[in-house]
Structures are given as structure tokens and as C-alpha cells.
Amino acid sequence: MHVPDGFIDAPTSVATGVVAAAAIAVSLRGARRELDERTAPLAGLVAAFIFAVQMLNFPVAAGTSGHLLGGALAAILVGPCTGVLCVSVVLLMQGILFADGGLTALGVNITNMAIVTTVVAYAAFRGLVKILPRGRRSITVASFVAAVLSVPAAALAFTLMYAVGGTTDVSIGKVATAMVGVHILIGIGEATITALTVGAVIAVRPDLVYGARDLRQRLKLRVGGELVDAPAAEPAAAPVAARSSRKVWAVGLVTSLVLAGFVSFYASADPDGLEKVAADHGIDKKTEEHDAADSPLADYGVKDITDARLSGGLAGVIGVGVTVVAGTGVFWAVRRRRTADASPTAVENV
């Protein structure tokens, strides 16, 4: 689904860039409400995990592979606004460092892979959670369905963009059928990864899953023979909660490093859904060379290292490290801005 330079014309790329910039601005404000001392560092980890799992292409049909997009996973784990930012950080790192996804097409990729997937997935997820029985299993089921829907939605969004600004003359009907068809299959893989990951986190720390916040039960106290809600925890308790999430953070980081540094070597080498459709229908006739094609990490390998396993594994580890640092920095800055806005001085000034 990473659109390279040359697929979409300049006016459409600029328009999607404006849409992406506006969505990121809105998401930065929204993320202030979603992030706290526990989830701010975990949001950076979610970005790194998505980067790692996107390196694991899985076969979906003869000669075609797919990989995680991550919008549904991010939205459910850390919130829809923060989810948009997580996937956007991943796409930025991939485009600049690994020559994956065109730089002029960055707006197209953020719109498709970050905005559309997150919005569609979270809307479907919240709708399902409201009608399904209250419980952890329902969260997992809703995660699966939401993720399935998000991938063909992104494929359809790309098709609409191509209908407006495609650089080759092809049948849009055939492109739409091929894109949506193959990405439904990819969506099943996406849904499986998303449901397993969300289920695993809920099993150990349900309080860290944004989409499961409605499952948290208020502590009840018996007062005068009646049960009443206990007062909310004092802010001073937050640092303890933050420390208690360090084990989850460490396990998640190690998992991401293993996936990117070792398991990625065994990923499918077949072209992904977009690459396959583009080759079959002539969409790729005007593909342009990536501006970062000479990057030391281009194509997920370290330049001048001839051993493919070592080169790819080292590139994956570097990618996870850079993404977790960049993502954590962004989300801590957003969290600090929220804290500053809520400070007594800020309130007095209001």
C-alpha cells in the first residue's frame, strides 16, 4: 500500500498533502486528551511495533503478499488521534530512511494508511463494542472486524485518488476490483495480527488499552450500608502506574526488535497487493526513482553489507530504534503540552 512517486499527479499529491497536514494538526490536539503518563511512552512503542510488523510480508494469493497497515491496531491500543500520529511517524521514517513510499506521495500514503484506516477501524470498533456483550472477548472480536474493514477501505481510497490524479490511462473499474479484492485477503491477515496483539495486551494490562477503557470498573465502597463509587485516583498515583508499565514496554520493544531483526528475513518476497495490481494493470508505467534511493538503509538493507540476513536484520533493528525514539519524543512532547495547558498558571490565565 506504500504508494511510490509517479503513481499520482502533482495536484492530487498536493491536495492529499494538505489533507494529511490538517489531519495531523487535529490529531496532535486530540492526542493530548488520549495520552497520559502510562500511554505516552507506549504510543512510541506502538509505532515501533507497527514498523517491525510491516516488514513481515505474508502470502495472500499466488504471487502476492500483504503486510500490516496498523491503523486499526494503533487506534484501539492508544486512541484514534494518537493512532493517526503513530502510523504517520512510521510512514515518515520509511520514506526518508528506507526509500519505502514516495516522498511526494507522503500525503497520499498518510491519507490512505494512517487516516482512512484509523477512522474506519475505530468507527467500526466503537459501533461493535456498543452492541456486543460487555467483556474482553468482545474487544478482541471488534478489533478483528474493524481491522478487516480498514484495509479494503484504504484500497478503495487509493482507487478514488487514482481516478482523480492517476498518471496512466487504465480502467478504474478493473483497478478497483483488483485492489479491493486482494486487500480483503490482506485485511484478514491484518485482522488476525490486530486481534492477537490487542488480546495479548488486554490479558496482561487491560488498563493500557484505549479501546477497552469502558471495561474499567470503578472501585465501590460501602458507605452507610450502600455501595458508592470510590473517588478517582489522585494525580500523584500516576508515576507509580507509569513505572508499572515499564515491563510491558520492555517486552514490546524486545518483541519488535526480534521481529524486525530476525523474523523479517523469512517474510514473503512476493510483491504486495498494490505492487501486484500496479504491475498487472500498468499503473506503474510512470514510477519515478525514489529521492532517497541512495540512502544507506534503502530497501531495508544496510549499504555495503553483503550478507543479506545481516544487512536486513540490522536495518530492521535500526528502523525500530529510530521509530521508537522519534515516536516517543513526539508523544512525550504532546503529553507535556497537555500538562502545561492544565497547569494552575494556564488556568489562571484563562
Side-chain angles (χ1 to χ4, degrees), residues 29 61 66 84 86 100 162 203-204 206 215 224 260 270 277 291-292 294 310 326 333:
R29 293 184 64 86
V84 169
C86 281
D100 189 10
Y162 198 82
V204 295
L215 298 182
D270 290 332
V277 173
D291 291 335
D294 293 330
L310 178 60

Side-chain angles (χ1 to χ4, degrees), residues 78-345:
V78 292
C81 292
T82 308
V84 169
L85 299 177
C86 281
V87 182
S88 297
V89 167
V90 173
L91 293 171
L92 186 62
M93 295 299 102
Q94 290 171 330
I96 293 175
L97 298 178
F98 297 91
D100 189 10
L103 297 183
T104 62
L106 187 59
V108 173
N109 287 322
I110 289 177
T111 301
N112 284 335
M113 297 178 65
I115 301 171
V116 172
T117 58
T118 300
V119 171
V120 170
Y122 198 71
F125 174 81
R126 294 305 304 168
L128 288 168
V129 166
K130 290 181 179 178
I131 62 176
L132 291 173
R134 181 186 175 93
R136 296 180 181 180
R137 183 173 298 177
S138 295
I139 298 295
T140 304
V141 171
S143 301
F144 185 94
V145 176
V148 166
L149 295 175
S150 70
V151 178
L156 183 58
F158 166 78
T159 304
L160 293 174
M161 290 179 190
Y162 198 82
V164 174
T167 55
T168 56
D169 185 15
V170 298
S171 169
I172 298 302
K174 291 182 179 180
V175 172
T177 300
M179 282 292 292
V180 173
V182 72
H183 283 90
I184 288 175
L185 299 177
I186 294 173
I188 296 173
E190 173 109 7
T192 302
I193 296 170
T194 299
L196 289 174
T197 304
V198 171
V201 179
I202 286 180
V204 295
R205 288 295 301 272
D207 58 305
L208 296 179
V209 179
Y210 183 87
R213 66 195 189 285
D214 292 341
L215 298 182
R216 302 171 193 171
Q217 299 287 348
R218 288 290 298 274
L219 179 64
K220 298 286 186 179
L221 297 178
R222 187 174 296 279
V223 179
E226 296 183 0
L227 290 176
V228 298
D229 288 335
E234 294 293 331
V240 176
R243 288 196 298 272
S244 66
S245 65
R246 289 177 182 171
K247 183 176 181 180
V248 175
W249 193 93
V251 171
L253 181 59
V254 170
T255 301
S256 299
L257 291 170
V258 170
L259 292 175
F262 177 73
V263 181
S264 63
F265 181 77
Y266 301 97
S268 172
D270 290 332
D272 66 23
L274 176 60
E275 292 172 334
K276 179 64 172 175
V277 173
D280 289 347
H281 294 274
I283 294 175
D284 59 354
K285 290 180 180 178
K286 295 188 178 181
T287 303
E288 300 174 3
E289 184 178 11
H290 200 287
D291 291 335
D294 293 330
S295 166
L297 299 173
D299 296 325
Y300 297 93
V302 179
K303 189 176 182 179
D304 298 330
I305 294 183
T306 57
D307 185 284
R309 185 190 297 269
L310 178 60
S311 177
L314 185 57
V317 168
I318 293 172
V320 168
V322 171
T323 304
V324 76
V325 169
T328 301
V330 169
F331 297 121
W332 267 120
V334 172
R335 173 58 189 165
R336 288 181 58 134
R337 179 65 180 271
R338 171 183 171 177
T339 303
D341 290 345
S343 67
T345 302

Side-chain angles (χ1 to χ4, degrees), residues 35-49:
L35 296 170
D36 57 28
E37 287 80 358
R38 296 170 301 171
T39 56
L42 289 173
L45 176 62
V46 169
F49 182 77

Side-chain angles (χ1 to χ4, degrees), residues 48-70:
F49 182 77
I50 290 172
F51 175 91
V53 180
Q54 283 195 2
M55 295 183 66
L56 309 180
N57 280 48
F58 48 84
V60 295
T64 309
S65 70
H67 62 71
L68 182 81
L69 299 187

